[in-house]
């Protein structure tokens, strides 16, 4: 189980995939960020994680002197990308993956903070590939959690590294303005059209029945949307009042994330002409 995983230990998940868990467990990262090494004789490193000396040393032990062809980044949150800079310097590997983004909102961000220094050597677009000896990784655009989020598909074993878009322990935080609920739902629909065998997420255990989980996640979001519309039919309400009724018993540490999620749903519903905002209140149309 993920709860029992030790940090800093290289664990082989399949012949081409090794996982190293970073020591940054929290209410938003579960047991910590999982860095994945892909390959045998040469490697790709996916999401090297936070700038943490112990995790960096663990990654170097796992790399064991093998050539690193690329350091791939799914998205630019501080628990996923900062370690890339030091690792790139020591291995000579380029940093590739998601585009850098400027934070457009100085307000509350309920999930991990942005990595303001993230600067890739190469930005990958949907379908672009990085390859090594016996492995091929293709970028899959999956915006929603962040506008620039990518997943990476491993052709040789039909595995998908899903980052924070689909996780093995909870649904993803969608926090506007960088997070977008409409994009998030469209990305989930996109995954349903694929036949990936397994997902390796940034947090939580591997997902062995991915299509079933994705369908469940879509259903969960539709249920939340329905809750919001039913509440607003009772009359105009602020987000805080809706959150209090929708998330009874939620860990207080996660209430900020719940509020951002409700806001993301409201913005999506507003674009579709179903609700409108009036000051601090939202109302059904």
């Amino acid at each position: 189980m993920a709860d029992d995983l030790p940090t800093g230990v290289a664990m082989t998940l399949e012949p081409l995939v090794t996982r190293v868990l970073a020591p940054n467990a929290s209410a938003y990262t579960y047991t910590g960020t999982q860095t994945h090494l892909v390959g045998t004789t040469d490697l790709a490193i996916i999401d090297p994680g936070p700038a943490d000396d112990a995790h960096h040393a663990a990654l170097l032990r796992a790399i064991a002197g093998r050539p690193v062809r690329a350091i791939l980044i799914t998205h630019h949150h501080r628990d996923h990308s900062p370690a890339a800079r030091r690792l790139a310097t020591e291995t000579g590997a380029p940093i590739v993956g998601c585009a850098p983004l400027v934070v457009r909102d100085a307000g509350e961000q309920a999930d991990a903070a942005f990595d303001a220094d993230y600067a890739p050597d190469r930005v990958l677009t949907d379908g672009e590939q990085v390859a090594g000896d016996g492995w091929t990784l293709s970028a899959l655009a999956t915006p929603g959690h962040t506008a620039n989020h990518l997943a990476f598909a491993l052709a040789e074993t039909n595995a998908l590294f899903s980052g924070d878009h689909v996780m093995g322990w909870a649904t993803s935080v969608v926090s506007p303005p960088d997070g977008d609920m409409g994009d998030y739902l469209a990305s989930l629909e996109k995954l349903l059209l694929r036949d990936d065998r397994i997902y390796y997420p940034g947090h939580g255990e591997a997902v062995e029945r991915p299509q079933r989980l994705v369908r469940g996640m879509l259903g969960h979001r539709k249920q939340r949307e329905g809750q919001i519309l039913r509440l607003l039919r009772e009359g105009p309400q602020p987000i805080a009042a809706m959150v209090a009724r929708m998330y009874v018993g939620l860990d207080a540490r996660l209430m900020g994330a719940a509020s951002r999620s409700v806001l993301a749903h409201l913005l999506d519903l507003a674009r579709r002409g179903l609700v409108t905002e009036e000051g601090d209140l939202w109302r059904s149309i």
Side-chain angles (χ1 to χ4, degrees):
M1 296 294 292
D3 294 327
D4 303 322
L5 294 180
T7 61
V9 176
M11 301 186 68
T12 300
L13 305 182
E14 58 178 90
L16 281 177
V17 180
T18 299
R19 175 177 63 194
V20 181
L21 179 66
N24 63 328
S26 77
Y28 292 105
T29 62
Y30 191 40
T31 55
T33 303
Q34 296 176 151
T35 299
H36 292 97
L37 286 66
V38 178
T40 53
T41 59
D42 61 4
L43 303 172
I45 311 297
I46 299 176
D47 283 351
D52 178 272
D53 288 343
H55 187 56
H56 178 77
L59 291 180
L60 291 182
R61 289 195 300 272
I63 291 167
R66 289 173 289 180
V68 178
R69 301 302 177 197
I71 300 166
L72 288 88
I73 308 297
T74 61
H75 64 295
H76 64 317
H77 277 162
R78 200 169 57 194
D79 59 325
H80 285 259
S81 58
R85 293 181 287 279
R86 183 177 176 187
L87 194 62
T89 298
E90 296 194 14
T91 64
I95 300 171
V96 302
C98 70
L101 286 183
V102 176
V103 179
R104 296 168 289 172
D105 178 31
E108 177 186 2
Q109 291 290 338
D111 50 353
F114 293 91
D115 176 9
D117 297 323
Y118 172 65
D121 298 297
R122 176 186 167 200
V123 173
L124 297 180
T125 59
D126 191 66
E128 285 195 276
Q129 294 183 337
V130 175
D133 183 11
W135 55 266
T136 308
L137 289 165
S138 300
L140 182 69
T142 49
H145 176 62
T146 61
N148 62 352
H149 194 285
L150 296 175
F152 298 106
L154 178 60
E156 285 75 10
T157 70
N158 202 27
L160 185 77
F161 298 90
S162 57
D164 280 7
H165 182 62
V166 176
M167 297 185 290
W169 73 288
T171 57
S172 181
V173 172
V174 180
S175 181
D178 190 44
D180 185 284
M181 188 61 70
D183 287 345
Y184 176 73
L185 295 173
S187 293
L188 289 177
E189 295 281 4
K190 180 179 182 178
L191 292 187
L192 278 182
L193 299 177
R194 298 175 53 86
D195 65 348
D196 303 291
R197 173 183 59 86
I198 193 169
Y199 290 176
Y200 295 122
H203 308 277
E205 277 289 5
V207 179
E208 296 181 349
R209 301 180 69 178
Q211 272 67 36
R212 179 180 180 180
L213 179 61
V214 171
R215 281 193 295 271
M217 292 170 70
L218 280 164
H220 170 73
R221 294 294 183 173
K222 292 299 183 182
Q223 288 177 340
R224 288 297 189 200
E225 180 181 288
Q227 280 184 292
I228 290 169
L229 291 172
R230 286 192 295 274
L231 287 173
L232 292 182
R233 290 188 192 111
E234 298 176 5
Q237 300 191 45
I239 289 176
M242 287 187 276
V243 169
R245 293 179 63 182
M246 293 170 62
Y247 293 89
V248 177
L250 182 69
D251 186 331
R253 296 174 298 170
L254 301 177
M255 292 303 287
S259 296
R260 302 301 290 184
S261 178
V262 171
L263 174 60
H265 273 294
L266 288 166
L267 293 173
D268 182 48
L269 289 167
R271 281 195 300 265
R272 291 154 54 191
L274 298 174
V275 304
T276 186
E277 182 181 14
E278 297 177 1
D280 292 334
L281 298 178
W282 290 84
R283 68 171 63 243
S284 178
I285 295 176

